[in-house]
Amino acid sequence: MDRRRNHTIEIVVDRLQVKPGIETRLEASIATAAKLANGLVTLAVVGGDDRFFSLKMACPECGTSVPQLEPRSFSFNSKFGACEVCEGLGSKWTFLADRIIADPSQALFKGGLSPVLNSAGIDYAIESFAKARRIRITQPWENLTADEQTKLLEGENGRGGLLRELQLRYERAYAEDRAAMDEFRAEVPCAACGGRRLRPSSRAVRVKGMAIDEFCVQPLSRARLTLKTWELSDREARIAGRLLDEIGARLEFLSAVGLDYLTLDRSAATISGGEAQRIRLATQIGSKLRGVLYVLDEPSIGLHPRDNQRLLDTLMHLRDLGNTVLVVEHDQETIERADYVIDLGPGAGRLGGHLVAAGPPDRIARSAESLTGGYLAGRIEISSPAIRRQPNGSWLRVKGAREHNLKDVTVEFPTGLLTVVTGVSGSGKSTLVNDILYRSLARQLHRAGSHPGAHDGIDGVDLIDKVIRIDQAPIGRTPRSNPATYTGLFTLIRDLYAMLPEARERGYKPGRFSFNVKGGRCEACEGDGLKRIEMNFLPDVFVTCDLCRGRRYNHETLQVKYKGYSIADVLDATVEEAFGVLENHPQIRPKLQTLLDVGLDYIHLGQSSTTLSGGEAQRIKLAKELSKRQTGRTLYVLDEPTTGLHFDDVRKLLEVLERLASLGNTVIVIEHNLDVMKTADWIIDLGPDGGEYGGRVVAAGPPEAICKVKGSYTGSALAKALHLRNGSRREQVRN
C-alpha cells in the first residue's frame, strides 16, 4: 500500500444478516480500523441491504487488502502473521558467491568453482544458460563484467543461475553430501521482510508511531525507556494501560537479573545456558508465588561482578516472598550472602560425598575441615604473581572488528602472555575472540570451514603455528570414550600388555586388549560392560553384563596381568593408583603426571566420558596439550573455563594456564572470575556496557593499570580483589 497517498477502504455489504446491536459494533470496528490506519486510510460503507453487510478492508486503487487484525496477526509463529517468504524465520539459508568461487583467476568450470560443488550436470546447465546470453564462460571469472557475473549467479527471469542450481542439488543430496556443501552456505536475512519475520500488513500497524518489530529489536534497557516516554490519552489508557503496565513489569524483571542488553527478538539458539536460566528466573519473579522451592544451578554463569549484585537481590526477593531458594554455586559473593550453606567434600570423586560443614557462612569459614571455608576466611588464597610477564613487542592485531555490536574496533593481543578478555555481559567478548580471532586463525592455519565475523584483517598470524580452543564440551560422544582413550594412554597400555611374556606366548596383539574390536572383548555385551534392555515406551534400562560383570573383557584376556593387574583392573584404577603401577614406563608416566598436575588424580582411567563434568573434561583436554611437545607458538583460546569450578579447582586450572604461558604459548581467556583476572599478565576490558552500548575497548593493560581507568566496571571490581582480605596472607597457594 502506498503510504504517500490517502486510500479508501470499501466496506462491502453482502449477505450477512444483521443481529441486534451489530450496528454499534460495526461503527466501533470502523473507528478502530481508522485509528490503526493512522489517517492513511478512509473507510466507507458501500451498497447492500440495510440488514445484510460484511466488513472487508481493501484499497480499490491498488488492490491491497488488510485481513482482520487479531493477536495472531502479530506472531511470526502463526501463518496469519508470519512472512510468507521465510515463514516467520526471518532468514534463509543460501549459497554465497564469495564462498563458491574458489579461484577468481580461473574459468568457472576449470578451477574457478570449488571442486566440492562442481558436480556432474551443473556445468551443462550453466553453460547452456551462458551460451544463450553470449557470456564467454571459458574466460577467467574475474574478467567477466559485473552484469555477466550476476546473471551467471542469480539467473534471469526466473531461469538458470548457479545459486539456484546449487540449491536444487542441495535439496536432493544425501545427508553426507549436504554436510560437505554446508561450508558454502550461510544464513542471510530474508529479502522480503528484512529479517523482521512478519508480513507487511502486520508491520504496518503502529502504536505511537512504532511497529511491533521496531519495538522488539530494541535492547531491553531502551525498550523500558520507550514505554516510559509514551503518553496515553484517557481513551488510550483505558484500552492499553494495563497491557503496557504488564509489559513494563516484565521488562523490569528481565533487567533485574542482568539481561537488559538482550533484545526481545533474540533467537533462543544464541542464548547461553546462564542467560536462559535467568530468563526463567525472571518469569518466576512476575508470578509472585509463595511456598515454592526454587532450585538454581550456578545462576551466576556469564555474569560480570557488576551484574551479580542485581541477581542476588532478585534471589533475596524470592526468599522474602516466602519461598525456599536452593542454589548450587561456587561464587564467593553468593556464598557469603546465603542464609545457610551446605559444604560437601572433602575432595572430589571417591574422595567426596560427605557432609563437611553446614550452617551460616561464618560457621563454614571457621571450619578447619572445610576447604571452602579456608577460601572464605582467607586462610587459603589465590594470590597475584609477584612479577608479571611483560609484552615482548609481538602482537596479534585484529583490525576493524565490526561483527554484531563491535564498533569497528582494533584490538591488540600480546603473544606469549596470559591475556584475559573481560567486560560486562553482552559487551562483545565472545564475538571478538571466538567469532573473529579464533575462526579467522583456524581458517588460515588449519583450513577450517568456519567463516569469521566481519573484520578488516589480522596482523601477526606468522607468530602462531596453530590455534586450539579448549572448552567444556565432552571429550567423547559415546560411553566407550574415556580419559585413557582421549589422552592416548590406552594405546600405550595395550602395547605394554601385548609385550608381556604370557601375552606373547598366546600370540596376543595390542588389538586383543581393546574392548572395541572382537577377540579380547566380552561378546555378550560387545565390550560395553552393560546390556541395554529396551522398554518400548519407557526409557531404555542399562544393567551390568552378567557374563563379564562389567569388566568388558573375556576370561582369557583377563588372565594376562602386569604386577597383578589385568587390563580391566588398570582401567578401573584411578589416575593416582595407575601412576603407582605404571610410573616406570617412560612413555606412560608423562601422560599420567599431567593428569595429576591438573588435579584429576581421583578420576578412573576407564571412566565413561558421559559421566565427566564440564570442568573435568576441560582439564583432561589441557592435560593432553601439556603432554605434547611444545613449540612455544601455540594460541590457546578458553571461554569462561571457571564455569562450575570450586576455588581450589580454579587454582589448579590457573597453574596449568600459567605453565602453558611460561612455555612461550599465547593463552587468551574470556572470563569474569576476579581470581583469573588478578593473575593475568594482560587484560582487555570491553564495554562500557552491554548490547548496543558495548563493543568498544574500555581499557587494556596489566591488572593494576585497569584498576586506575575511570568508567571501567571491571577496574572497580578488580581494585577490591587486588587488596588483601583480612589484612595479611596467612597461606600462599601460589608463590
Side-chain angles (χ1 to χ4, degrees), residues 238-251:
R238 288 196 300 272
I239 296 172
R242 292 184 62 183
L243 283 174
L244 293 180
D245 289 342
E246 285 294 326
I247 294 172
R250 280 162 170 74
L251 292 176

Side-chain angles (χ1 to χ4, degrees), residues 248-263:
R250 280 162 170 74
L251 292 176
E252 291 287 348
F253 298 151
L254 289 167
S255 179
V257 293
L259 296 174
D260 48 6
Y261 59 91
L262 294 180
T263 59

Side-chain angles (χ1 to χ4, degrees), residues 200-334:
S201 59
S202 301
R203 289 184 281 122
V205 179
R206 295 177 174 271
V207 176
K208 295 297 180 181
M210 180 173 287
I212 185 172
D213 58 299
E214 295 172 348
F215 182 82
C216 291
V217 79
Q218 302 178 104
L220 298 182
S221 56
R222 186 145 55 89
R224 290 165 50 211
L225 295 176
T226 299
L227 286 182
K228 292 178 181 179
T229 60
W230 286 356
E231 296 181 2
L232 305 180
S233 64
D234 292 341
R235 181 175 178 277
E236 291 171 336
R238 288 196 300 272
I239 296 172
R242 292 184 62 183
L243 283 174
L244 293 180
D245 289 342
E246 285 294 326
I247 294 172
R250 280 162 170 74
L251 292 176
E252 291 287 348
F253 298 151
L254 289 167
S255 179
V257 293
L259 296 174
D260 48 6
Y261 59 91
L262 294 180
T263 59
L264 289 173
D265 68 343
R266 177 84 171 261
S267 172
T270 66
I271 292 176
S272 68
E275 290 171 336
Q277 187 171 218
R278 292 197 292 277
I279 290 173
R280 292 193 291 270
L281 178 60
T283 63
Q284 294 302 317
I285 301 172
S287 67
K288 296 184 179 180
L289 295 175
R290 290 173 171 79
V292 177
L293 170 63
Y294 290 105
V295 180
L296 296 94
D297 189 1
E298 302 202 52
S300 66
I301 292 175
L303 272 184
H304 189 271
R306 184 203 68 170
D307 302 317
N308 206 32
Q309 186 66 38
R310 288 192 291 177
L311 173 65
L312 293 177
D313 291 340
T314 301
L315 297 179
M316 297 302 172
H317 175 68
L318 282 176
R319 177 203 61 186
D320 295 340
L321 287 175
N323 300 300
T324 301
V325 182
L326 180 61
V327 182
V328 179
E329 188 58 89
H330 296 104
D331 177 68
Q332 181 165 344
E333 188 176 5
T334 304

